[in-house]
Structure formats: structure tokens, C-alpha cells
Amino acid sequence: MTTTQLLVKTIIKGIQEKKGQNITIVDLAGIDGAIANYFVICQGNSPSQVEAITESIGEVARKDQGEKPVNVVGLGNDQWVAMDYTDVLVHIFLPEIREFYDLENLWQDAKLTTIPNLD
């Protein structure tokens, strides 16, 4: 498993710790012009949950992998937060915003992996 794949796993752990839902991994590694190797997309049911998921990802990635995001955009608004880990971009949405932007369909050529929700 590569360092980037380990980071993806760690990010998923951070999402699940705050009960983030509908996690999709978009594998962009084989796509020309892609801005990252992976997108990790998930959602929270409220702005406060979106913020909690963002903080959890940051904490778990730092503790487990020694990784910090290069940039985080959308905090304060908490409808769509993007975390940039260079090779991995994390998108944390409110459900209606996720549906509107529909990132999964923008990258139809990519391999999509859906992670089952934890109960």
C-alpha cells in the first residue's frame, strides 16, 4: 500500500469517527489532467457536523500519518469544506450541496469506491 493510499484510509477513519456518511473514493490516478490522485467525498447532516468531520480528519491524519493539509477552504460556512493534502483532496458536504455539485459524475472515467456507512 502506498503512502497516498494509507492517507486515504486514515482520512476515512477520521470521517467515520464523526459519523460522516456516504463516503466515496474517486481514484483519479489514471486520469490525464487530474488535480490529485484521489478525491474522498463525504457528507455531514449539519454545518456543525461538517466542521467536526473536518477537524477529525485533520487530527487523525496528523497523528497517524504526520500529514497536514496544504489548504482548507470553506470553514466558517461549513456547507462544503475542501481539504487539500496534495495527492488527496477531501470534500465534506452538506447533502443538498453535494447533490448540486455532483462531483462523482464530473469524474465519470474514474474508479469510484463507496464505503458502507457505519451504524
Side-chain angles (χ1 to χ4, degrees):
M1 188 171 285
T2 67
T3 323
T4 304
Q5 289 167 329
L6 273 175
L7 179 58
V8 168
K9 259 186 145 56
T10 303
I11 288 166
I12 290 165
K13 178 180 161 189
I15 294 167
Q16 291 175 330
E17 280 188 5
K18 295 298 175 189
K19 302 197 180 335
Q21 303 245 297
N22 301 334
I23 303 169
T24 302
I25 300 164
V26 183
D27 184 344
L28 301 166
I31 307 230
D32 284 344
I35 53 176
N37 288 329
Y38 293 94
F39 277 5
V40 179
I41 304 168
C42 71
Q43 65 194 48
N45 291 319
S46 67
S48 55
Q49 188 183 16
V50 167
E51 189 170 323
I53 292 167
T54 304
E55 288 170 4
S56 177
I57 293 167
E59 202 173 293
V60 172
R62 192 183 71 252
K63 276 201 299 212
D64 293 9
Q65 299 293 319
E67 292 279 352
K68 287 183 179 169
V70 182
N71 201 0
V72 178
V73 182
L75 276 175
N77 184 349
D78 298 326
Q79 294 188 11
W80 173 6
V81 176
M83 302 177 80
D84 183 353
Y85 284 94
T86 311
D87 286 338
V88 183
L89 285 178
V90 186
H91 299 275
I92 308 131
F93 286 102
L94 287 177
E96 60 275 15
I97 306 295
R98 180 179 186 170
E99 201 175 303
F100 180 81
Y101 286 101
D102 198 14
L103 291 185
E104 291 91 337
N105 279 329
L106 283 179
W107 299 96
Q108 287 178 338
D109 299 346
K111 179 178 172 242
L112 300 181
T113 306
T114 304
I115 308 296
N117 289 333
L118 298 179
D119 292 329

